[in-house]
Amino acid sequence: ATSVEIEILTPRMEGDKMQLIDSGGVFREQELKEFVASAHVDSSSDYLVVAIMGPQSSGKSTLMNYVFGTGFYTMNAEEGRQQTTMGVWLSKAPKIPDHLTLVMDLEGSDGRERGEDDTNFERQSALFALAVADVLMVNIWSIEIGREHGSGKPLLRTIFQVNLKLFAPDPNRKRTVLLFVIRDKTKTPLNKLVEVMEDDLNKMWDAIAKPPQYENSKIRDFFDVQYAAMSHYEERHDDFVADATVLRRRFLPDGDETLVRPSEHLPGAAFALSAQKIWEAIRTQKDLNLPAHKVMVANIRCAEIASDQLSGFVMDQAWKDLEAEARSGTGEVVRGFNARLMGLVDSCLQGYEADAMYFDPNVRTAKLQELSAKLWEVVTPAVADQVSALRSQQLNAALKDLQLATGSDRDTAGVAGAAGSGAGAGATDGGTATSTASLRPAPFREAARCVQASASAAFRRAFAEDLRLEGTEWDGRAATAEFERELAERVEALRGERIEEAVQAVQRQLANSVSGPVISLLDNCTPGVWRRLHAAARNAAASTEKTLLRQLEGFELEPSEVEALQQKLTGMAQAKLENHVREAALTRISRMKDRFTEVFTLDEQKTPRMWRPKDKIPNLAYDARLAAAQVLAQLAVIRPPEESTDGRGDGAADNVEAAVLDLAKADLEGSPSSAPALDILSADSWPGVCEENVLLQPHEIRTTWREFMSASNVQVQQALSAQQTARLAGSQPLPFWAILAIFFLGWNEFMSLLYNPLYLIFGLVVFLFGRTLYAELDVDAEMSKGSLPGLMSLMAKFRPACKTVLQRCTESLSALAAGQLPEELQAQGHSFASEAEMSSSIRAYGSSSSSNNNSDDGPGTPPAAPPSSSPAQVGGAQASTVSAESAGQGARSEGEASPSDISGSTNSSDGKAWLTNDEINAARSMRMQLAEPGASGGAAEAGGSGVG
């Protein structure tokens, strides 16, 4: 009894907390059992026990409430500082619902209520917490660190010492976590405080009296020391709450710096009984009983005998020879190894028992077990080498059988023979499996299962004959399991190699399947080419996948493996596609030229154009350049596969394509787009396009287009020159010598026509009819298609053309009979304008000098070469003619038909036509003839016939 009145509380359980031990030291067994059942501890073995100790009124209960959400009673500061927690309280942590955590709140030490002399309970409760808890929190004020009594070092020293004596813990088996919670942290850095505490703990551990087996131990052999710092509860309350939250995370299994350690807990149902027994041992234990004298003597002598026997075994020549054979490194299994080894070990143990038979049986047995353990430590390396040698032999033989059964030599190798040979060889050659030449071919999985079963049986048989040591860990079960595991790994590795070989074998097929259609599609790069490119890549991957899966039918691929192969092949096809596209982007200029040449120089039947006078070269050049721009637009960025699959496209990629086409149209038409989605002239990158999908940057697009336009102008100019040459060749008059030849050779016929008007009229009618029919049939255009197609087309058109010409002739004769000039004959006066239109399509790409207006050029002066011009000028130059309107107006005076009018009329708003001097002189003569006053309709008719 003490002078301090101790309140003996009645047993109670309040909500989720209970009083485990009251202030009088009474253990509440029944209440604990009820608490264990209500907290579901009895149905779990994965739980954590946390306890806290420290000086009285140091805020232990407050800390536990904030960290774990418990409801322990706390001191009311306004009522004065006094004892609040009496005894030991237990609660479940509500704030850690995912991991069952039990929290113990101990009565504070150094309290005035118990006085100076009654310190037994605080020591007993502290030792109880140390024995039961997984994590023991030591609450200590920061200002008390470095002090002897203030930091609680005497109490720690006592419980450390008694714990070693009473419970004799195994070093490093279960290390209790000691968490020192430093309260009311100050400006002193935490690492400095830790250094002081680490030094005090080491000195304290070295100073305590330890049992002999723990003489050289360190504190960290038994405890995992951790630290945490908390802010002042009243002055920095918000920081205190935050620190409590951080500290709570350390009690989660997956939290940062977690304090949860793997440990061997008792089942939850035994927690109440274990805690009760520990408390009873602490309450009744006063000191450790010293062993009896005979036990001390037995310990010493049995240890000496065991040491002598162990030395003799190591120095035994028979053991040395056996060890040398077993560890020779040749990979061979020593026949009869187990029998020879067991004979040596049994001889050593029997010698020990003979010498120690008169000592205490318990000590003798304990030392015998120690000697046996040390003997096995000596022989284990040799046994392990032998097991490894046998395992290597069997693995090599099994893998050889599997390779023969599933390799290229399948007609002469199979699994049944592998199994039979493995079983037969085990009895004659250490169980190693060999294959024969009469093996039945089988799929890989089937062959693997047969080989594994055969090899496992051979290994067990060989191990039993030479290596099994009954009553030890080398009884064969663990070795066989290890062999089967490693064999399965080797088989899976070989299977993976075979699958990889098959994948590599179909890579060439995949590359060819992708390259063919992709290269063909990239030659034209028409709109929507990306959808077709990705479809070609998917089709190639699907075809290759079918081929690969047929080759791998015997491998029993899992759905995940099939999916992985599909993704791999799809990735390969996509990579090959992107390589081709990137190569195409590098050769964009040549591809644009090829596309331009195809559209510009070939007609709808893919035959070369002859550049006839009626061909509209500017329009063809416009269309061909837009087709080339489409090639450039498709090669600007890579469209991902998903955008080409769903058909919706990608806004960013569509904007890029539209921007490139807008650039081309603006350059060709001479007017920029009204509201372009992307201004390519000022952009330095493609908005919304991933950088890895960019093939050509905006500045590369601009440079490429300029280079292409410069190159295409040459082809357009050549076409215009060829067209002008064709026109001039069709309008050249007969040579003078030909006229003389016709005059002399056809004089008689000419005179007969003059003397017979009927012949003259008939000949004129046939000539006009044939000329009109020739124009109606468009013989030149039809024959440009080829001889046979042209003739067939002319034959098909001949009859309708004849009807049309006869109808026109009838209408003309009716008009003449009525005294009117037919429209056809009126149009003959304008034939000169038609002839001038032949030269109007030759547009100059630049400015024309005023010297073209002079009329003094000689008849042999060649036409000036047209300079290059912008694409806008070429596209719009179609309306200029050589004053065709003036040629049909006969009322003009001779002064109006000045040379400057004729030459100047070649100018137009879109461009300038270039004429030869002969054409200009002929135009002047015809115009003056038509402009003579008094010219009648008959003169006009004759002039028209002559022109025609």
Side-chain angles (χ1 to χ4, degrees):
T2 62
S3 59
V4 179
E5 180 181 358
I6 300 177
E7 178 185 1
I8 305 299
L9 298 175
T10 59
R12 66 177 184 262
M13 215 179 130
E14 300 179 7
D16 58 349
K17 64 179 181 294
M18 64 154 296
Q19 189 178 33
L20 179 62
I21 302 173
D22 63 17
S23 59
V26 178
F27 189 89
R28 304 300 181 184
E29 178 182 359
Q30 186 60 35
E31 287 77 11
L32 178 58
K33 291 180 180 180
E34 296 175 0
F35 175 84
V36 167
S38 62
H40 304 291
V41 181
D42 54 351
S43 60
S44 174
S45 61
D46 185 17
Y47 57 93
L48 181 70
V49 181
V50 182
I52 188 168
M53 58 175 287
Q56 179 176 301
S57 302
S58 60
K60 300 185 302 299
S61 301
T62 301
L63 177 62
M64 301 302 268
N65 292 342
Y66 274 86
V67 173
F68 299 101
T70 55
F72 296 131
Y73 298 109
T74 58
M75 183 188 70
N76 188 352
E78 297 179 357
E79 295 179 1
R81 305 189 67 84
Q82 58 186 350
Q83 186 182 39
T84 304
T85 303
M86 290 179 286
V88 178
W89 286 76
L90 180 65
S91 175
K92 185 179 178 181
K95 289 188 178 181
I96 307 181
D98 297 334
H99 189 258
L100 181 58
T101 304
L102 303 179
V103 183
M104 288 197 304
D105 187 15
L106 274 63
E107 178 180 324
S109 62
D110 198 19
R112 66 180 182 84
E113 286 78 5
R114 290 191 178 272
E116 181 178 0
D117 299 328
D118 188 11
T119 59
N120 289 335
F121 184 82
E122 68 182 39
R123 294 179 181 178
Q124 292 172 354
S125 60
L127 185 58
F128 175 78
L130 183 64
V132 173
D134 299 300
V135 180
L136 178 60
M137 301 172 62
V138 181
N139 201 46
I140 182 173
W141 284 315
S142 61
I143 58 175
E144 298 292 349
I145 296 177
R147 299 177 181 175
E148 184 67 18
H149 294 278
S151 59
K153 288 195 291 184
L155 178 60
L156 289 175
R157 185 183 296 110
T158 301
I159 64 173
F160 286 163
Q161 181 172 325
V162 177
N163 180 64
L164 292 178
K165 291 181 179 180
L166 182 59
F167 298 106
D170 293 336
N172 295 319
R173 182 178 179 183
K174 178 188 176 184
R175 297 196 304 166
T176 302
V177 178
L178 277 181
L179 177 61
F180 289 90
V181 182
I182 302 173
R183 301 292 295 274
D184 303 344
K185 58 184 179 181
T186 60
K187 294 182 179 180
T188 305
L190 179 61
N191 58 341
K192 296 297 183 182
L193 299 176
V194 169
E195 290 177 3
V196 175
M197 295 191 68
E198 287 282 346
D199 185 62
D200 290 345
L201 287 173
N202 292 330
K203 291 179 179 179
M204 180 196 313
W205 185 264
D206 294 336
I208 65 174
K210 296 183 285 292
Q213 64 269 30
Y214 304 131
E215 193 64 35
N216 298 323
S217 61
K218 301 296 182 182
I219 187 173
R220 291 191 178 272
D221 295 337
F222 303 90
F223 301 101
D224 184 2
V225 183
Q226 299 290 332
Y227 302 90
M230 303 293 294
S231 301
H232 199 283
Y233 174 75
E234 295 178 352
E235 297 178 0
R236 298 174 60 186
H237 182 73
D238 293 339
D239 293 341
F240 176 84
V241 174
D243 292 339
T245 303
V246 173
L247 182 59
R248 185 189 311 124
R249 293 176 185 153
R250 298 183 66 179
F251 290 91
L252 299 175
D254 55 349
D256 296 333
E257 299 180 0
T258 180
L259 300 173
V260 180
R261 303 290 187 266
S263 60
E264 300 176 358
H265 281 114
L266 290 172
F271 174 76
L273 179 61
S274 174
Q276 179 186 4
K277 295 300 181 183
I278 291 174
W279 179 249
E280 290 177 355
I282 292 174
R283 292 282 287 180
T284 58
Q285 183 67 32
K286 301 300 181 181
D287 201 355
L288 296 177
N289 294 325
L290 293 176
H293 179 70
K294 65 174 183 177
V295 174
M296 297 178 61
V297 173
N299 282 324
I300 297 174
R301 285 295 299 138
C302 288
E304 292 176 351
I305 295 171
S307 178
D308 293 341
Q309 290 295 330
L310 181 62
S311 299
F313 177 84
V314 173
M315 299 304 297
D316 191 353
Q317 187 61 40
W319 161 246
K320 291 182 179 180
D321 295 342
L322 182 60
E323 184 182 23
E325 293 181 32
R327 309 194 66 182
S328 60
T330 60
E332 297 294 332
V333 179
V334 178
R335 303 305 300 272
F337 176 82
N338 51 355
R340 295 168 61 183
L341 178 62
M342 289 303 296
L344 295 174
V345 172
D346 290 342
S347 176
C348 180
L349 295 177
Q350 290 172 3
Y352 167 82
E353 291 181 344
D355 293 343
M357 62 181 301
Y358 299 106
F359 296 99
D360 183 78
N362 295 329
V363 176
R364 185 175 69 243
T365 302
K367 297 300 179 181
L368 177 63
Q369 294 175 352
E370 293 179 6
L371 175 60
S372 179
K374 292 180 180 179
L375 284 174
W376 285 116
E377 290 179 2
V378 173
V379 303
T380 291
V383 178
D385 286 352
Q386 285 293 285
V387 174
S388 177
L390 178 60
R391 184 167 59 247
S392 298
Q393 288 181 357
Q394 295 293 325
L395 284 173
N396 294 335
L399 292 176
K400 182 179 179 181
D401 290 341
L402 183 58
Q403 289 175 349
L404 290 175
T406 60
S408 60
D409 226 345
R410 295 176 63 105
D411 293 336
T412 60
V415 179
S421 63
T428 59
D429 191 20
T432 58
T434 58
S435 61
T436 65
S438 60
L439 301 181
R440 176 173 53 86
F444 185 90
R445 276 298 189 189
E446 180 181 347
R449 283 191 288 266
C450 294
V451 169
Q452 285 178 286
S454 173
S456 179
F459 180 85
R460 285 193 296 268
R461 185 167 49 253
F463 193 92
E465 292 177 358
D466 296 322
L467 299 180
R468 176 177 295 170
L469 302 173
E470 293 293 345
T472 68
E473 60 178 318
W474 305 105
D475 57 359
R477 289 191 295 269
T480 302
E482 177 66 18
F483 169 78
E484 292 175 349
R485 182 192 63 79
E486 187 170 352
L487 178 59
E489 292 178 355
R490 295 283 189 90
V491 169
E492 287 300 317
L494 180 60
R495 176 175 176 270
E497 293 175 2
R498 294 293 176 83
I499 293 176
E500 186 63 28
E501 290 174 0
V503 172
Q504 293 176 359
V506 299
Q507 279 184 354
R508 183 180 299 275
Q509 173 190 345
L510 177 61
N512 294 335
S513 301
V514 173
S515 298
V518 167
I519 293 175
S520 177
L521 291 171
L522 288 176
D523 287 340
N524 293 329
C525 283
T526 56
V529 69
W530 279 103
R531 186 179 300 105
R532 301 173 65 187
L533 287 173
H534 289 302
R538 287 193 302 272
N539 294 337
S543 175
T544 307
E545 178 190 345
K546 292 180 180 178
T547 303
L548 180 61
L549 292 180
R550 282 196 301 268
Q551 297 177 3
L552 299 178
E553 285 181 352
F555 287 80
E556 300 180 8
L557 298 177
E558 298 292 335
S560 59
E561 294 177 314
V562 174
E563 182 178 359
L565 289 177
Q566 291 174 347
Q567 294 177 355
K568 187 172 184 179
L569 292 177
T570 303
M572 290 180 181
Q574 186 65 23
K576 191 67 177 178
L577 167 62
E578 292 186 5
N579 289 339
H580 283 300
V581 174
R582 294 187 186 278
E583 291 176 3
L586 295 177
T587 59
R588 56 192 178 275
I589 290 291
S590 63
R591 293 177 182 273
M592 293 173 67
K593 292 179 181 178
D594 294 342
R595 182 59 176 162
F596 174 82
T597 301
E598 179 183 357
V599 177
F600 185 66
T601 62
L602 301 179
D603 58 11
E604 292 78 4
Q605 289 75 28
K606 301 300 179 183
T607 58
R609 300 183 189 274
M610 302 304 295
W611 299 125
R612 300 183 302 274
K614 68 175 184 178
D615 289 337
K616 298 180 180 180
I617 293 180
N619 292 347
L620 294 174
Y622 181 87
D623 295 339
R625 282 167 172 158
L626 278 185
Q630 188 64 246
V631 174
L632 184 61
Q634 297 298 330
L635 295 178
V637 296
I638 296 176
R639 290 178 180 262
E642 57 272 10
E643 297 170 6
S644 301
T645 302
D646 55 21
R648 294 178 297 177
D650 174 56
D654 291 340
N655 290 340
V656 172
E657 182 177 347
V660 177
L661 294 179
D662 288 343
L663 170 67
K665 291 179 180 178
D667 198 8
L668 294 175
E669 298 173 358
S671 60
S673 178
S674 59
L678 175 61
D679 187 6
I680 195 173
L681 296 177
S682 61
D684 58 350
S685 62
W686 301 119
V689 179
C690 182
E691 189 65 26
E692 62 184 11
N693 291 336
V694 175
L695 296 175
L696 300 174
Q697 294 291 352
H699 69 275
E700 295 177 309
I701 296 290
R702 297 192 294 267
T703 304
T704 301
W705 180 250
R706 287 195 298 268
E707 293 179 4
F708 164 73
M709 287 299 299
S710 178
S712 65
N713 285 337
V714 177
Q715 292 193 45
V716 175
Q717 186 174 354
Q718 291 174 352
L720 291 171
S721 299
Q723 188 184 53
Q724 177 65 9
T725 302
R727 286 176 174 172
L728 295 178
S731 63
Q732 287 181 355
L734 290 175
F736 183 72
W737 62 269
I739 297 175
L740 292 177
I742 293 173
F743 180 76
F744 286 106
L745 296 176
W747 175 259
N748 294 333
E749 289 76 7
F750 180 70
M751 293 304 295
S752 63
L753 289 175
L754 291 179
Y755 286 108
N756 193 343
L758 293 177
Y759 287 161
L760 178 61
I761 294 173
F762 180 75
L764 183 59
V765 170
V766 171
F767 172 74
L768 292 177
F769 182 81
R771 182 178 181 277
T772 306
L773 182 61
Y774 185 88
E776 184 69 22
L777 291 173
D778 196 4
V779 177
D780 293 337
E782 296 297 338
M783 294 304 292
S784 65
K785 300 177 182 178
S787 300
L788 183 59
L791 290 175
M792 295 179 66
S793 178
L794 290 175
M795 291 174 63
K797 294 170 59 178
F798 181 77
R799 186 174 181 180
C802 289
K803 290 182 178 181
T804 302
V805 173
L806 288 175
Q807 183 179 358
R808 290 180 182 176
C809 291
T810 302
E811 293 174 354
S812 299
L813 291 176
S814 300
L816 287 175
Q820 298 178 357
L821 185 66
E823 296 180 359
E824 289 82 353
L825 296 179
Q826 292 178 5
Q828 296 297 327
H830 298 275
S831 62
F832 176 75
S834 300
E835 295 297 331
E837 288 178 359
M838 289 192 302
S839 60
S840 65
S841 59
I842 307 177
R843 296 296 179 248
Y845 303 95
S847 62
S848 173
S849 63
S850 62
S851 61
N852 295 324
N853 296 330
N854 297 330
S855 60
D856 297 333
D857 296 337
T861 305
S868 61
S869 173
S870 66
Q873 291 174 321
V874 177
Q878 299 182 24
S880 177
T881 63
V882 183
S883 191
E885 297 175 356
S886 300
Q889 297 175 359
R892 286 190 179 180
S893 63
E894 182 178 357
E896 291 175 339
S898 63
S900 61
D901 291 338
I902 298 175
S903 60
S905 64
T906 62
N907 297 330
S908 66
S909 60
D910 297 328
K912 299 180 180 180
W914 295 81
L915 306 178
T916 63
N917 293 327
D918 293 339
E919 292 178 318
I920 295 174
N921 294 332
R924 291 172 186 161
S925 301
M926 179 59 68
R927 185 170 183 181
M928 286 187 292
Q929 291 175 6
L930 294 175
E932 288 180 0
S936 63
E941 177 181 352
S945 302
V947 174

